[in-house]
Amino acid sequence: MAHQSPNGGALWCAAHERDDAAWTCQAGALHVLDDTPENLLARVATGDQRAFDALYDQMAALIYGVVLRVLRDPAQSEEVTQEVFIEIWRHAGRFDSDRASARTWALTIAHRRGVDRVRSEQASRDRTERIAREASPEPVPGPADAMSRQIDQGRAADALSTLSAPQREVIELAYYDGLTHNEIANRLRIPLGTVKTRVRDGLTRLRRRVGFER
Amino acid sequence: MSDDEIRDLLAVVALDALDPVEQEAFDRAIAGRPDLLAELDELRAVVAMLADTEATEPPVGLKASILAQIAVTQQSAIDRHVPAHASNGVVSPRLSSVLVAPAEEPNVWMRRRWPAVLAVAAGAVGVIVGAAVWIGGDSSPDLADRVAAVLELPDVEPLGLHGDMDGVRIMHSPSSSAAVLVADGMPDPGDDRDYQLWLHHDGVPSPADVFRPDGGGHVEVLLEDFSSDGVVFTVTVEPAGGSEQPTGPALVSSA
């Protein structure tokens, strides 16, 4: 269920605005007016560095976490996270709340930059070696918003658990490991068409689970 | 690419799982198709949820480093905010399939981790003008206007400078706590070195800005919101990215 933001755009609300029982927003929740990522981003677009500071606090763990998951290397992940935030700063004026929530917009940038980096030759080689050496790092939730973050993680995991094992596998290889659909087909030795079908059916199921069905 | 083919790829695109060549073809195909773009946007929102399981506190120094860098990074002037009501809920046809602009030219400067120490600049907000080579090619008329505005302030005056660099001038307005460093014919500091501007208060230096001249040796540095009272400016050459304390001799000093 999309929540109507104050400026009319569909907004996928931040963690603390979600109803505990389902993936819905509480329209009457606090924080809706001032410090939503959307409002902060609008202020960032005008050059407001304080708003950027607050936006960093809200988004940094998510952005760093997803980049780290894709790259698996803390030093490179720190660099890419820096690039992502600089990009957010530079292009905040391009954010269009009619198309996406600020959270989705920022995480889209983060994931894209993560896979951009992982697909560059050097990073890819390093990463292959690293994966061979060690398991992926465990996320370490920080103190801030740890409670709501745990709830979020539980929900995301819950949504993922509704997928069939083959659907979940292709989605995780694409999102968390940054593989292209061709790479996934090669890795799993299945036809490309099968990868596309599993990805599509899996996201459709996730969308239904979290209430994005139109 | 037919509609069915585009639709077939939407989920793959939402997961960033196309290779660059395929992505380009997809972008061309979906351009001007607001209905399909809207579907893609919905899928991206679903995909963004997957980040929730990975939330991880970033290293402690990262925030200061990023805040220091945005303080000296121009914002893109294009595609300024379109008011939400302007599009009446319909996805504007100018939008591309990506919420994200294509990766910019590889930019060594952008990739460099700025030392967190630059955040210590005690409220000095520096903005580099004229050195578009390292800011990523944005030429911002706003910034040029701001520089011009400082140079027109009634109490702005050139500081007397000592040192070896003849082409450097610093115009200072004490009442507005604003200053502009303008340099012509400034030598390239070398690939692994940068110029750094320092503000000294009571003999204590604080880092204000790291900069490089453009290919013609020209650079303008705008400084705002610093404490003008008794301030002394110096410029040194430092290892790339700047230093916490000046390590080189002052090439220019207003003392």
Side-chain angles (χ1 to χ4, degrees), chain B residues 55-169:
Chain B
T56 306
E57 273 322 298
V60 175
L62 183 60
K63 180 177 180 179
S65 173
I66 289 173
L67 292 178
Q69 194 170 344
I70 64 138
V72 294
T73 299
Q74 296 173 28
Q75 291 182 293
S76 168
I78 58 172
D79 283 346
R80 266 291 171 205
H81 219 60
V82 179
H85 54 79
S87 53
N88 293 320
V90 179
V91 176
S92 152
R94 75 184 163 78
L95 298 166
S96 75
S97 76
V98 279
L99 291 167
V100 184
E104 290 165 4
E105 287 297 300
N107 184 329
V108 173
W109 193 272
M110 292 285 284
R111 286 179 183 267
R112 182 183 303 154
R113 167 81 196 277
W114 276 50
V117 64
L118 286 187
V120 186
V125 179
V127 186
I128 304 287
V129 192
V133 282
W134 71 270
I135 274 293
D138 270 355
S139 58
S140 162
D142 292 353
L143 204 48
D145 287 346
R146 278 160 66 195
V147 169
V150 170
L151 296 178
E152 285 166 17
L153 290 168
D155 68 335
V156 75
E157 55 178 8
L159 296 176
L161 298 178
H162 312 282
D164 296 323
M165 306 198 88
D166 290 337
V168 178
R169 286 164 295 147

Side-chain angles (χ1 to χ4, degrees), chain A residues 45 78 82 98 103 214, chain B residues 42 52 69 80 87 113:
Chain A
E78 199 174 341
Q82 175 140 344
D98 284 345
R103 184 183 178 287
R214 296 207 273 185
Chain B
E42 280 193 34
D52 284 341
Q69 194 170 344
R80 266 291 171 205
S87 53
R113 167 81 196 277

Side-chain angles (χ1 to χ4, degrees), chain A residues 103-194:
Chain A
R103 184 183 178 287
T104 293
W105 184 73
L107 287 170
T108 301
I109 294 174
H111 190 260
R112 173 64 67 91
R113 293 299 166 246
V115 300
D116 282 351
R117 177 65 73 98
V118 91
R119 286 171 195 166
S120 73
E121 214 173 346
Q122 180 64 44
S124 173
R125 191 166 56 237
D126 292 352
R127 179 167 163 276
T128 307
E129 289 168 3
R130 193 168 302 109
I131 292 170
R133 279 203 309 273
E134 62 191 56
S136 69
E138 282 296 309
V140 184
D145 290 331
M147 190 80 98
S148 63
R149 198 170 290 149
Q150 275 169 12
I151 292 168
D152 281 347
Q153 291 182 5
R155 284 176 177 150
D158 171 57
L160 279 168
S161 73
T162 65
L163 299 179
S164 72
Q167 289 168 351
R168 181 170 181 157
E169 182 176 43
V170 292
I171 286 173
E172 290 186 342
L173 285 172
Y175 190 75
Y176 296 129
D177 292 339
L179 299 189
T180 67
H181 63 163
N182 280 307
E183 289 169 335
I184 294 170
N186 289 336
R187 167 87 64 98
L188 300 180
R189 299 170 199 274
I190 55 177
L192 187 59
T194 306

